Amino acid sequence: MEFSPATVAFAFGLTLFAGLATGVGGLYSVLKKNPTDRFLAGSLGFSAGVMLYVSMVELLPEGVSSLAEEMSEKGANWLAVAAFFAGIAIIAVIDRLVPENINPHEPDMTSEKEKKLRRQALMKTGMMTSVAIAIHNFPEGFATFVSGLGDATIAIPVAVAIAIHNIPEGIAIAVPIREATGDRKKAFTWAMLSGLAEPAGALVGFLLFMPLLGPMTLGVIFAAVAGIMVFISLDELLPAAIATGRHHSAIYGLVAGMAVMAVSLLLFL
């Protein structure tokens, strides 16, 4: 199928806009002076809520829907569930392979050592979240790009909705890295690089994979990414939030994140 340069530029611009919203979340996090434990717990909980809600309400059903275009509804559901847990298994293996000789919950540690181990755990959380979100953003960027090649009245709300999703994702990346390193520039850079996976996905998809990517491939990818994001939320974001000592702030943040995502999805139905 042939597309005019203007159409391609419009579609890529929408994808770039959505991806840069991750940097907006990162920028907000690094500009906020001396974040309190309550802010840290609330932000990490909020991001966990975003990722959990998007994974279970949007990505996994989208995976089932894509697979159902090529196979029976029952088969699509089984394959989507298999891909979902495969995604969890993949990120769990990666998590186990990351060298870690620390235990943040060891009771007999000195105060300074506890602080050091907490920084190490937060850095790992931020980096793993960045990788997971980048993996999620890659096919998401291609999906946004494809919608931009079609009807603009559909593509623009899709891009705005994804941008809304990406702002708290930037917070999820930047907050723990800033707390771990004290380096605002590094925290913002990681958030921005994760967001740029979205236009990268659009570019690579358009140049190489568009003839190869069908409903089956996209369905498996969406379901697997949902599993990855659920694991990151439950294994990294929520424990890091609760470790601040602000348990209620973490849970309130989680509920708020789910509510924001629910409203953003309803606005663009």
Side-chain angles (χ1 to χ4, degrees):
M1 179 178 278
E2 294 289 333
F3 298 100
S4 71
T7 300
V8 172
F10 171 75
F12 187 78
L14 284 179
T15 308
L16 184 62
F17 160 75
L20 290 178
T22 308
V24 172
L27 186 63
Y28 168 78
S29 300
V30 301
L31 291 180
K32 186 173 176 64
K33 295 182 179 179
N34 301 320
T36 62
D37 283 343
R38 179 172 294 173
F39 171 77
L40 181 61
S43 297
L44 292 170
F46 184 89
S47 301
V50 168
M51 293 174 74
L52 286 170
Y53 195 89
V54 168
S55 297
M56 303 305 296
V57 175
E58 185 181 20
L59 285 177
L60 186 56
E62 181 65 25
V64 173
S65 177
S66 293
L67 291 169
E69 294 181 27
E70 298 287 334
M71 56 197 307
S72 68
E73 183 177 352
K74 183 176 181 179
N77 277 279
W78 274 99
L79 183 54
V81 168
F84 175 82
F85 285 103
I88 290 177
I90 289 168
I91 197 63
V93 169
I94 292 172
D95 183 47
R96 297 294 295 177
L97 291 177
V98 173
E100 182 180 14
N101 54 5
I102 63 173
N103 181 359
H105 305 292
E106 193 68 34
D108 59 352
M109 295 175 182
T110 65
S111 178
E112 281 303 311
K113 190 173 183 181
E114 285 179 347
K115 291 178 181 177
K116 180 181 178 182
L117 297 185
R118 181 184 170 190
R119 287 195 298 268
Q120 290 174 329
L122 283 170
M123 185 66 187
K124 178 185 171 186
T125 295
M127 293 179 70
M128 287 194 66
T129 303
S130 177
V131 171
I133 289 173
I135 293 170
H136 160 63
N137 283 350
F138 199 84
E140 187 180 81
F142 183 59
T144 306
F145 181 78
V146 170
S147 71
L149 295 176
D151 188 349
T153 60
I154 297 174
I156 292 174
V158 166
V160 171
I162 290 175
I164 293 171
H165 295 169
N166 287 346
I167 291 173
E169 289 177 354
I171 295 173
I173 297 165
V175 167
I177 292 178
R178 176 189 168 175
E179 287 296 293
T181 65
D183 189 332
R184 297 168 186 261
K185 184 178 179 180
K186 180 179 288 186
F188 174 73
T189 299
W190 273 92
M192 183 60 74
L193 287 176
S194 179
L196 289 178
E198 210 147 292
L203 185 62
V204 172
F206 182 70
L207 295 177
L208 299 176
F209 299 136
M210 198 165 180
L212 304 176
L213 281 180
M216 286 284 289
T217 306
L218 284 175
V220 169
I221 289 173
F222 281 130
V225 169
I228 290 172
M229 292 178 69
V230 165
F231 183 88
I232 290 293
S233 298
L234 298 180
D235 186 64
E236 300 289 338
L237 290 175
L238 274 180
I242 292 171
T244 64
R246 296 287 185 174
H247 174 270
H248 288 297
S249 295
I251 299 304
Y252 296 155
L254 181 142
V255 174
M258 296 177 73
V260 168
M261 286 303 98
V263 172
S264 73
L265 291 173
L266 289 172
L267 287 175
F268 296 103
L269 283 176

